[in-house]
Amino acid sequence: MSTIAELTVPAEEFALCQTLEATEDLDVEIERVVAYDPGHVMPYVWFAGDESTLAELDPLLEDDPSVEEYELLTDLDDECLYRLNWVDNVTVMIHLLTEEKATVLDASVEGQQWRFRVLFPERDSLSSTYEFATEQGLTIDIRKIHQMEDNRHSRYGLTDSQYETLVEALERGYYQIPREMDMEHLSNELDISHQALSERLRRAHRTLVEEVIDVGKEEDESA
């Protein structure tokens, strides 16, 4: 039975630890791509933050020991897309997550931890990955496990933080007309920056739209 596991890995054991320690309010999210080479599963990385934070990125990436090479591809003022080549220990971690024919659905940073959503073809694949990682001295914390058949559309591909933020926004009247709470007050209630809240909502809305469109297509094809 296919299994979706939500895993966390300390940044110091994976990637961008030095960059994350030197910045505040920096959102990091992997641009999902389909890749058959484990060394190129997560080459595209979105960084979001204020202007001063993003202005520091190039020298930080230059000095970050987990980054071998970097290239700025897109600059949208409040977020930037980079192509990164990782050093060997990072690609080894990626290989751990993919050698069991698993698929990395989402990868993002929360604090000093990387959070992954990984689709394993069967439960045994997850167990094998965890055991091998532990033997190698890596710290993988399994936060949640979902059976694919039971949870395929339960959260429409949202990460935990996106789902929880949407729930809070709904309950506090952010989506009411007129709004009962604006974004500034909502960000204060959630104890995150205005910029981080804006980016999280935007990505959550995009994910919901993509998932709903896919569901609609599937229903049309089966009708």
Side-chain angles (χ1 to χ4, degrees), residues 16-62:
L16 299 178
C17 179
Q18 186 168 299
T19 298
L20 295 172
E21 287 181 345
T23 57
E24 295 182 0
D25 296 327
L26 180 66
D27 283 352
V28 182
E29 184 174 345
I30 300 301
E31 179 74 9
R32 187 171 65 183
V33 296
V34 176
Y36 296 97
D37 178 359
H40 295 83
V41 170
M42 38 181 283
Y44 303 109
V45 183
W46 284 101
F47 296 92
D50 58 34
E51 184 177 351
S52 60
T53 298
L54 294 179
E56 300 174 354
L57 262 183
D58 275 17
L60 289 174
L61 293 175
E62 179 72 30

Side-chain angles (χ1 to χ4, degrees), residues 140-223:
I140 292 184
D141 186 8
I142 301 177
R143 296 298 182 87
K144 292 183 181 179
I145 298 175
H146 310 291
Q147 300 303 323
M148 185 67 171
E149 287 76 2
D150 296 333
N151 294 280
R152 183 183 176 204
H153 300 302
S154 60
R155 293 195 176 183
Y156 290 93
L158 297 171
T159 64
D160 280 353
S161 60
Q162 291 170 348
Y163 178 83
E164 291 162 5
T165 298
L166 289 178
V167 170
E168 288 292 325
L170 183 62
E171 292 180 347
R172 296 179 185 275
Y174 177 77
Y175 293 108
Q176 293 292 330
I177 302 175
R179 285 178 173 166
E180 298 175 2
M181 177 175 286
D182 60 21
M183 187 172 293
E184 180 177 354
H185 287 89
L186 182 59
S187 64
N188 290 335
E189 289 290 332
L190 296 173
D191 195 27
I192 60 176
S193 69
H194 183 283
Q195 178 66 34
L197 175 61
S198 175
E199 292 298 328
R200 189 177 296 175
L201 287 174
R202 185 182 66 80
R203 295 185 187 281
H205 295 162
R206 183 184 67 184
T207 297
L208 286 175
V209 170
E210 290 175 346
E211 290 290 332
V212 169
I213 290 175
D214 287 342
V215 170
K217 287 180 178 178
E218 290 172 3
E219 291 175 346
D220 289 342
E221 290 173 356
S222 62

